[in-house]
Amino acid sequence: MKKKYLLTPGPVEAPRRVLEAASRPLISHRCGEFSELFKGISRKLGRLFESGQPVVILPSSGTGALECAAVNFLRPGDVFISLSCGVFGDRFREIAARTGARGIYVDAEPGSAPTPEAAAAALRENPGARALLVTHNETSTGVTVPVREIIAALPAEGRPLVLADGVSSVGAIECLPESWGVDVLCTASQKGLITPPGLGLVWLSKRALDELKGRECPSYYFDLKLHLKNMKPDSYANPYTPPVSLYYALDAALDIILAEGAPAWFAKRRRYAEAFAAALEELGYELLVRDRRLRSAGVTAFSAPGDASEVVRKRLSAAGYETAGGQGTLKGKLIRAAHYSDWEMPDMEDILRAFAEAIDNNSDDGYLKTARNIFENR
Ligand code: PLP
């Protein structure tokens, strides 16, 4: 039978080794073996983030991780600055606003990114802001936001806590929270971390840990202090029953990502994205993100010729290639195809041929040569 491809930007196709790890016999989450598994994952996440700071693991999706950041660090009356260029930036601000904090909204057009200058200007106008919210990879448009440059543009004095959504960047795109100056980094298992959905992860800076002291969290489930109390040097546990099977899966996924070092893994994702985008353009698809420096290595957004994106998506789906569509104002206008999975050139060729067929493009294989040149030679 012909292979089916899951091209949605989460969940993504997880490697067989990861799925097999998830099917290991269950163990008690109170035993030493689980503690070792959890500690091992923490060490591997430390290598990924180049940081020894703790990462709380929640039984939740990415939205839960964002909610956790909001309820632990924002209170009614706080002011937060929210940078958004799409649906997920908007979601993060909506979650934050539900704490009763007041948002200052800085928007960028879909397909572009908030700039360091805009972030710095918003902070100058709101010097007492408690937090700055930013989405590292805006999945609805395939834009990677220059978080590092944005933080570097903020004045060191009176800097707000930086709460970053790395749900669709972590694991696929370099994200170094400690060296960049992020305070709380939220992510989830089902995209760049090539694991099934179900785990939310929250990395915390030293400053974030200090800020937690003396604060009461209105949520029990998402109480970071409660989680951290269970992560003692000699034993790592969770305050309630964690999805043990997903811990096995995440552990195996991290082994794959770190096998040749995270930078090599990120570079491969980048080459794949560039090769895929160049071939799509050659076929006649139009990429949403014009500025190449902002193009995501995890997900590419584009439209089909003749405004036929939805028809093309249906054709692709019928042929076994499941993509995502546009969201929000871009509903019906876009095709989004993810490439977080560890696909090789034969996979890309298979996928690109399907994209050619879906728009009845019977041209020669030039687009495949373009893709191969970029993927294999850069
Ligand atoms: N943030 C970003 C950037 C996302 O891409 C997503 C999901 O696509 C979310 C947050 C929400 O994550 P979840 O669907 O796992 O709750």
Side-chain angles (χ1 to χ4, degrees):
M1 202 176 81
K2 198 170 175 320
K3 182 178 171 191
K4 285 183 185 286
Y5 284 91
L6 183 59
L7 293 150
T8 53
V12 306
E13 205 175 281
R16 182 179 290 273
R17 240 174 84 190
V18 172
L19 297 176
E20 281 171 1
S23 66
R24 287 178 65 170
L26 285 165
I27 53 172
S28 159
H29 61 285
R30 298 281 171 227
C31 74
E33 198 179 333
F34 180 77
S35 167
E36 287 310 305
L37 173 64
F38 191 171
K39 273 201 230 171
I41 291 173
S42 295
R43 277 194 297 274
K44 289 169 197 175
L45 288 170
R47 283 171 59 201
L48 187 66
F49 294 138
E50 298 182 11
S51 159
Q53 287 298 110
V55 183
V56 166
I57 304 184
L58 304 161
S60 80
S61 75
T63 306
L66 298 177
E67 179 127 3
C68 175
V71 295
N72 278 275
F73 293 99
L74 292 172
R75 289 286 172 275
D78 284 344
V79 172
F80 66 89
I81 296 168
S82 150
L83 312 180
S84 176
C85 56
V87 166
F88 292 103
D90 290 356
R91 181 183 298 188
F92 198 7
R93 64 175 50 155
E94 190 184 333
I95 291 170
R98 287 192 188 199
T99 64
R102 184 167 63 85
I104 306 291
Y105 296 166
V106 179
D107 292 313
E109 285 298 307
S112 69
T115 61
E117 295 74 26
L123 191 60
R124 269 196 306 276
E125 283 162 28
N126 300 276
R130 171 159 174 78
L132 177 90
L133 275 49
V134 60
T135 306
H136 187 201
N137 189 72
E138 179 48 68
T139 326
S140 64
T141 56
V143 163
T144 298
V145 174
V147 169
R148 175 192 203 147
E149 289 77 4
I150 286 173
I151 299 174
L154 304 178
E157 273 297 293
R159 229 198 57 185
L161 283 168
V162 177
L163 312 184
D165 172 345
V167 171
S168 65
S169 63
V170 168
I173 299 167
E174 183 184 69
C175 185
L176 303 176
E178 188 158 358
S179 75
W180 294 0
V182 172
D183 291 295
V184 183
L185 173 68
C186 305
T187 190
S189 51
Q190 78 276 17
K191 302 182 202 273
L193 292 172
I194 50 170
T195 297
L199 294 178
L201 287 79
V202 183
W203 176 94
L204 297 157
S205 72
K206 286 195 178 71
R207 181 177 168 201
L209 293 178
D210 281 345
E211 293 271 346
L212 286 176
K213 288 182 193 145
R215 285 174 78 87
E216 289 308 313
C217 178
S219 162
Y220 185 92
Y221 204 67
F222 289 140
D223 185 345
L224 284 170
K225 279 200 295 188
L226 195 60
H227 282 267
L228 291 163
K229 214 165 79 187
N230 280 272
M231 294 163 66
K232 301 187 201 84
D234 56 334
S235 87
Y236 269 34
N238 193 292
Y240 39 75
T241 317
V244 174
S245 307
L246 292 179
Y247 282 61
Y248 278 132
L250 178 60
D251 190 51
L254 288 166
D255 282 342
I256 293 172
I257 292 170
L258 296 169
E260 288 173 31
W265 177 265
F266 301 150
K268 190 171 172 190
R269 304 273 74 70
R270 164 73 43 210
R271 282 201 320 275
Y272 189 106
E274 286 175 3
F276 185 59
L280 284 177
E281 278 190 310
E282 209 166 306
L283 281 171
Y285 288 92
E286 192 182 340
L287 296 193
L288 175 69
V289 185
R290 304 312 310 162
D291 182 344
R292 285 166 193 274
R293 291 164 307 173
L294 299 180
R295 285 184 188 162
S296 168
V299 55
T300 301
F302 46 94
S303 51
D307 205 16
S309 295
E310 276 305 292
V311 176
V312 168
R313 283 192 58 231
K314 283 201 186 98
R315 283 189 180 184
L316 285 163
S317 176
Y321 300 81
E322 210 55 61
T323 61
Q327 294 170 290
T329 54
L330 296 168
K331 199 169 168 55
K333 296 184 187 148
L334 275 190
I335 303 172
R336 291 178 303 134
H339 23 77
Y340 292 97
S341 308
D342 192 14
W343 287 330
E344 296 292 345
M345 202 57 221
D347 298 299
M348 191 175 353
E349 288 189 3
D350 202 345
I351 293 164
L352 285 171
R353 278 201 192 93
F355 275 95
E357 273 169 34
I359 53 169
D360 299 321
N361 184 324
N362 301 313
S363 60
D364 60 21
D365 282 359
Y367 65 99
L368 294 180
K369 284 198 196 88
T370 301
R372 213 173 296 127
N373 269 338
I374 297 173
F375 187 57
E376 288 170 357
N377 298 330
R378 258 192 205 162

